Amino acid sequence: MSHQLPDIQADSSNITVGLSQVGVTEVEKLLKIAREEKRPIVLTAEFEVFVDLPSWRKGADMSRNMEVIDEILEEATHEEAYCVEEVCGEVAERLLKKHDYTSHAEVSMKAEFMRREQTPASDRETQHTVDIIASATATEEGTCEEIGAEVVGMTVCPCSQGMSTARAKQTLEDLGVDRGTITDFLDEVPQPGHSQRGHATLTVEATGNPNVDLNDIIDIARDSMSARIYNLAKRPDEDHMTHEAHADAKFVEDCVRSMAEDVVDEFDHLPDDTVISMKQSNDESIHQHNAHAERVTEIGVLREEITTKTPFKR
């Protein structure tokens, strides 16, 4: 004799408190990203999927969440998607339709991406690793998608370098070197400063903006720091990176501002209300703490600040 299993999660809760996020994390799937006239890129992506839960409902339909995730991601794998953020958006929209008790659905994705490049001095072919990040939020008003990347680079502390420069200047003066030669030398040879491994994160709202190139986002984030770093580095490459970083010492705040300037320059076609998120975190080498700076705002605000030097606006 068959019997129907009870739908416990649909019961009312003893404690009537609504929840902003209920869902699943660390869902791994293969994604195949199509490229024109090139072989597709296959990514191992990790997803997080959430819906909100009203106060009167005991639990969300976890099995339904997984069913929708599997369904849409399997389709994306087989049919080849062109944009990872669109995959997130489609999953979020389907979640909203499947759950009649929710008002919004959130989907985020992170995947490791390898790009080929040449080393800066020895001109050897190598690869570097980037974390692609994408997300989407679907509501009755519509779906908002964003695409971005997290990259690693090198920074040098200007304050530490300034102290080294002062020491070098005093030492050269004590040795009887004339001031003109000292100035020329210090202009040509950047002095040491404590270095840091920097982590830059840049995301751009992609809703209705099909011309947001992920490679541009990656390059802007990498170039915001004192120097790029490379997986393969011969001695000339190591010398190049070290010199490059010390010739462009930057505080953590400088990195975010550099991102902002390049975003305004590169994405001049985006509408003013496009949301931009920029973050920089540096792993300090001589401190136990780390340094962090970020800015989230609309690109129109950045344009105004950069062109007119207006004060900070949210």
Side-chain angles (χ1 to χ4, degrees), residues 162-266:
M163 290 185 287
S164 294
T165 300
R167 180 191 293 271
K169 181 179 180 181
Q170 184 62 55
T171 300
L172 290 170
E173 288 177 351
D174 292 345
L175 291 172
V177 179
D178 65 273
R179 290 187 176 181
T181 302
I182 292 174
T183 300
D184 291 342
F185 173 78
L186 293 177
D187 285 343
E188 290 293 324
V189 183
Q191 295 304 293
H194 77 82
S195 60
Q196 304 135 329
R197 174 166 287 191
H199 307 269
T201 303
L202 173 62
T203 63
V204 178
E205 183 183 354
T207 310
N209 299 324
N211 296 321
V212 177
D213 191 324
L214 178 61
N215 287 302
D216 291 337
I217 291 175
I218 293 171
D219 289 336
I220 289 172
R222 293 186 80 194
D223 290 337
S224 68
M225 292 173 274
S226 297
R228 293 187 174 193
I229 61 174
Y230 298 81
N231 283 339
L232 172 68
K234 305 293 287 184
R235 290 181 67 185
D237 300 311
E238 292 179 355
D239 178 64
H240 175 91
M241 285 185 281
T242 304
H243 183 275
E244 203 64 13
H246 285 79
D248 191 19
K250 288 181 176 179
F251 291 116
V252 66
E253 300 92 337
D254 296 325
C255 297
V256 174
R257 288 173 173 142
S258 176
M259 266 190 274
E261 187 174 47
D262 288 347
V263 161
V264 168
D265 182 59
E266 185 65 42

Side-chain angles (χ1 to χ4, degrees), residues 143-154:
T143 303
C144 180
E145 300 169 352
E146 70 174 12
I147 180 67
E150 296 177 0
V151 304
V152 179
M154 179 179 177

